[in-house]
Amino acid sequence: MTLKLAKRGQIPPFIVMDVMRAAFEREQAKGDVLHLEVGQPSTPAPQGVITAAKAALEAENLGYTDALGIPQLRARIALHYQSWYGIDVPLERIIVTTGSSGAFVLAFLAGFDPGDRVAVAEPGYPCYRNILSALGIEPVPIVTTGASRYQPSIELLEAVQGSLDGLIVASPSNPTGTMLSSSELEALADYCGARGIRLISDEIYHGITYGERAASALQFTDNAIVVNSFSKYFSMTGWRLGWAILPEDLTRASERLAQNLYISPPSLSQHAALAAFDCHDELQANVARYAANRELLLENLPLAGFARLAPAQGAFYIYADIAGLTNDSEDFCRRMLAETGVATTPGIDFDPGRGHGFMRFSFAGATTDMAEATERLKAWLA
Ligand SMILES: Cc1ncc(COP(=O)(O)O)c(C=O)c1O
């Protein structure tokens, strides 16, 4: 007798993880892969974090911690908001989580019921819609274009059929690297506030910007759920640590969910992350490398034939319109990997509707890899 498979588990894969596996297999076979697919820094955690982790292994018990995170780290996160944005965040509203991924699950469970409708930009980070779907919450796609720098706008929200319970924004965004200006974010926060729509602001790429600094939704409202992480700017993906700043009405519910779902975020990572905020020079050197990589790609990708690129104001991504080169981005990226060893991500991961004509380059790796990749692509498309 066949057992039932739950519908909630039938969500699409996070395609970039599948691409990473294909790139790894080629790496094993040929050893020539250039990784422009992965959305993670190629650098390890900063030295101060590694030193703090070693010390914690000796000095700490490293058992479960408070479900909200260790008080010292929550206090350090509060200080971070003071020094980066000039805002005071009460400790009660800070929860440390298992990556920002853990924060999304808690926030969605605490803030929405099955059947609620949450707007997400397309193209956008695929896990928003996939996590929402797994929880029975309806992701409502906001189809964005270059005209709004692939960001949601009030005009686009006004055009949505039916009511909304939530809106997720990400500035800088994955996969486009585009940003909302401070006034655009403020206008969206006001729009949501006036209509009882919960605003979720994914601020995971803050610190990695190439012009204007990113504004936090907390500068405009206390009612947003702000999600952040040690993964990107702090270069600590595998340490699985993030945090959320919650509105007051969600703090206790999120704590109860965290206690029951995860018990606590990883203890060793929390002790180590205490040092992350003081590793300024090393982290800024990473951002300088991303900036050099970005320049190199923006100059050379058009020479290889990738002429239509999103502005890449932040994060470490360039989103390319490749409709002139293919109508099947998945096949195009697969052939690119097979024929050149350059691994990239097809747009269908981020935009199920139009992604067959787009792809994403990640420039989180070494500058020499970016230079080599563009040379291989120039020869491939010549
Ligand atoms: C926009 C965005 N949000 C969230 C995440 C999840 O990151 P983590 O769970 O490592 O904090 C990612 C990872 O790529 C991302 O790009």
Side-chain angles (χ1 to χ4, degrees):
M1 189 173 140
T2 8
L3 294 174
K4 179 187 129 175
L5 273 181
K7 280 201 207 72
R8 288 187 302 188
Q10 305 304 306
I11 58 173
F14 184 10
I15 294 171
V16 72
M17 307 292 293
D18 288 353
V19 176
M20 279 164 71
R21 186 180 303 151
F24 177 76
E25 280 163 11
R26 173 165 173 132
E27 181 80 65
Q28 297 288 322
K30 297 209 171 181
D32 67 347
V33 175
L34 297 169
H35 292 279
L36 279 74
E37 84 286 23
V38 281
Q40 69 172 341
S42 55
T43 44
Q47 194 50 52
V49 168
I50 293 168
T51 307
K54 286 181 181 161
L57 277 174
E58 298 293 338
E60 303 290 339
N61 160 295
L62 299 179
Y64 295 138
T65 70
D66 192 293
L68 294 174
I70 56 174
Q72 311 91 292
L73 183 58
R74 293 168 66 214
R76 193 63 191 79
I77 290 170
L79 201 60
H80 173 70
Y81 279 89
Q82 201 20 275
S83 61
W84 274 38
Y85 309 99
I87 36 185
D88 289 321
V89 179
L91 285 192
E92 307 77 68
R93 291 179 49 205
I94 302 175
I95 180 167
V96 180
T97 55
T98 307
S100 68
S101 305
F104 286 118
V105 176
L106 294 178
F108 295 166
L109 281 169
F112 303 112
D113 279 319
D116 280 357
R117 289 161 44 88
V118 177
V120 289
E122 253 177 33
Y125 179 58
C127 304
Y128 302 143
R129 76 180 127 77
N130 294 342
I131 300 172
L132 288 168
S133 301
L135 298 176
I137 302 161
E138 185 187 340
V140 178
I142 304 288
V143 177
T144 66
T145 64
S148 66
R149 295 184 311 287
Y150 298 103
Q151 289 285 353
S153 64
I154 289 177
E155 207 183 343
L156 291 171
L157 289 174
E158 296 266 76
V160 168
Q161 304 285 317
S163 63
L164 286 176
D165 302 290
L167 164 69
I168 304 177
V169 296
S171 168
S173 121
N174 176 8
T176 63
T178 60
M179 291 169 64
L180 288 163
S181 69
S182 192
S183 57
E184 286 166 338
L185 181 58
E186 182 171 15
L188 287 172
D190 289 349
Y191 181 90
C192 290
R195 286 160 186 77
I197 299 171
R198 274 199 194 279
L199 176 65
I200 294 141
S201 179
D202 181 352
E203 305 189 348
I204 188 169
Y205 291 104
H206 280 209
I208 310 177
T209 53
Y210 307 107
E212 207 181 315
R213 286 186 57 180
S216 170
L218 294 172
Q219 291 167 239
F220 311 116
T221 174
D222 285 333
N223 292 324
I225 299 168
V226 169
V227 174
N228 208 321
S229 176
F230 289 94
S231 288
K232 309 294 174 166
Y233 175 72
F234 297 99
S235 193
M236 294 173 62
T237 48
W239 299 67
R240 306 310 303 127
L241 207 64
W243 72 87
I245 312 298
L246 300 162
E248 252 164 37
D249 63 338
L250 293 187
T251 54
R252 185 64 185 143
S254 304
E255 180 179 11
R256 286 194 300 256
L257 284 160
Q259 290 167 341
N260 284 283
L261 286 173
Y262 309 118
I263 300 189
S264 75
S267 183
L268 178 60
S269 301
Q270 293 187 67
H271 287 281
L274 271 172
F277 297 99
D278 300 319
C279 297
H280 181 261
D281 292 351
E282 205 175 326
L283 296 172
Q284 282 307 116
N286 290 348
V287 177
R289 190 181 77 254
Y290 305 143
N293 292 354
R294 172 182 175 274
E295 289 279 303
L296 195 148
L297 289 185
L298 287 178
E299 190 182 325
N300 284 282
L301 284 177
L303 302 177
F306 301 92
R308 303 175 68 187
L309 308 174
Q313 298 165 288
F316 29 59
Y317 305 115
I318 294 179
Y319 200 55
D321 179 341
I322 51 168
L325 297 169
T326 182
N327 57 12
D328 184 348
S329 59
E330 200 171 7
D331 172 67
F332 185 80
C333 292
R334 198 180 300 117
R335 279 193 293 114
M336 184 188 287
L337 177 63
E339 292 165 23
T340 72
V342 177
T344 53
T345 310
I348 40 158
D349 211 8
F350 312 104
D351 187 343
R354 297 163 300 166
H356 48 266
F358 290 85
M359 64 181 291
R360 186 192 75 176
F361 295 92
S362 164
F363 54 85
T367 308
T368 46
D369 283 3
M370 302 302 129
E372 171 67 21
T374 51
E375 289 316 307
R376 288 191 201 173
L377 293 181
K378 281 177 197 168
W380 189 53
L381 289 173

